[in-house]
Amino acid sequence: MKRVAQPEEIASAILFLASDASSAITGVTLPVDCGYTIW
């Protein structure tokens, strides 16, 4: 994507992690950077 994540995209990830929908997620790093760290 070659761009920096927008605040709304980061907020969506935070809301997901704070919700019951993420109850099975443990001990991982969730990069929300539009693929910035892989190029």
Side-chain angles (χ1 to χ4, degrees):
M1 297 171 87
K2 296 185 179 181
R3 64 180 181 82
V4 176
Q6 297 300 305
E8 304 83 36
E9 295 168 314
I10 296 169
S12 294
I14 292 169
L15 287 172
F16 167 71
L17 291 171
S19 75
D20 290 338
S22 67
S23 63
I25 296 177
T26 59
V28 298
T29 301
L30 180 65
V32 183
D33 61 5
C34 296
Y36 182 81
T37 56
I38 61 172
W39 41 279

